[in-house]
């Protein structure tokens, strides 16, 4: 089985109303339960907004830390889920379920260096 990253692509702006977020939360819980029951669950979690980020980088041999996002954008990584799937088609099927649960776009990407087993 290969591992795939399902990235939740969230737009910048105000979050949905509390009742809408509660429904999304219930849908995500059901999605995660389905992943676990299928043996596809590895990890999932939501992220705070980019304003909470600290960027760490090397410049002229020194480590620099900067508050805030690395770049300004109209969207950001709002959460992630790592799944086990036999192939890209199966991972895309999980991505389809994730986009229904979150109501947001999901980017599906394989990890490097994994082969079919």
């Amino acid at each position: 089985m290969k591992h795939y990253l399902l990235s939740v692509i969230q737009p910048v702006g105000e979050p949905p109303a509390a009742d809408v977020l509660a429904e999304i939360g219930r849908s995500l819980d059901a999605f995660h339960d389905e992943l676990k029951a299928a043996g596809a669950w590895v990890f999932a979690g939501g992220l705070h907004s980019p304003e909470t980020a600290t960027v760490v980088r090397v410049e002229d041999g020194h480590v620099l830390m900067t508050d805030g996002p690395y770049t300004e954008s109209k969207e950001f990584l709002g959460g992630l889920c790592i799944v086990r799937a036999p192939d890209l088609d199966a991972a895309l099927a999980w991505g389809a379920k994730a986009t229904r649960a979150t109501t947001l776009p999901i980017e599906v990407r394989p990890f490097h260096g994994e082969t079919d087993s």
Side-chain angles (χ1 to χ4, degrees):
M1 290 273 218
K2 294 182 179 181
H3 289 87
Y4 293 85
L5 175 66
L6 309 183
S7 301
V8 180
I9 309 302
Q10 187 166 333
V12 171
E14 291 297 315
D19 61 327
V20 174
L21 283 177
E23 179 60 32
I24 291 170
R26 287 188 291 276
S27 295
L28 272 174
D29 287 344
F31 171 64
H32 294 159
D33 289 345
E34 185 178 354
L35 282 170
K36 290 172 186 175
W41 169 269
V42 176
F43 175 83
L47 298 170
H48 287 282
S49 67
E51 292 78 28
T52 66
T54 302
V55 177
V56 181
R57 66 175 166 260
V58 174
E59 190 172 298
D60 296 325
H62 296 85
V63 175
L64 301 178
M65 295 183 202
T66 308
D67 291 337
Y70 183 68
T71 59
E72 294 296 319
S73 178
K74 293 181 182 182
E75 57 193 21
F76 61 94
L77 179 62
L80 58 97
C81 182
I82 299 173
V83 299
R84 278 185 217 92
D87 54 36
L88 179 59
D89 288 339
L92 290 172
W94 287 120
K97 290 180 182 208
T99 195
R100 286 187 185 98
T102 64
T103 71
L104 294 170
I106 303 295
E107 180 182 86
V108 178
R109 295 174 70 182
F111 281 86
H112 274 290
E114 295 192 344
T115 59
D116 293 326
S117 54

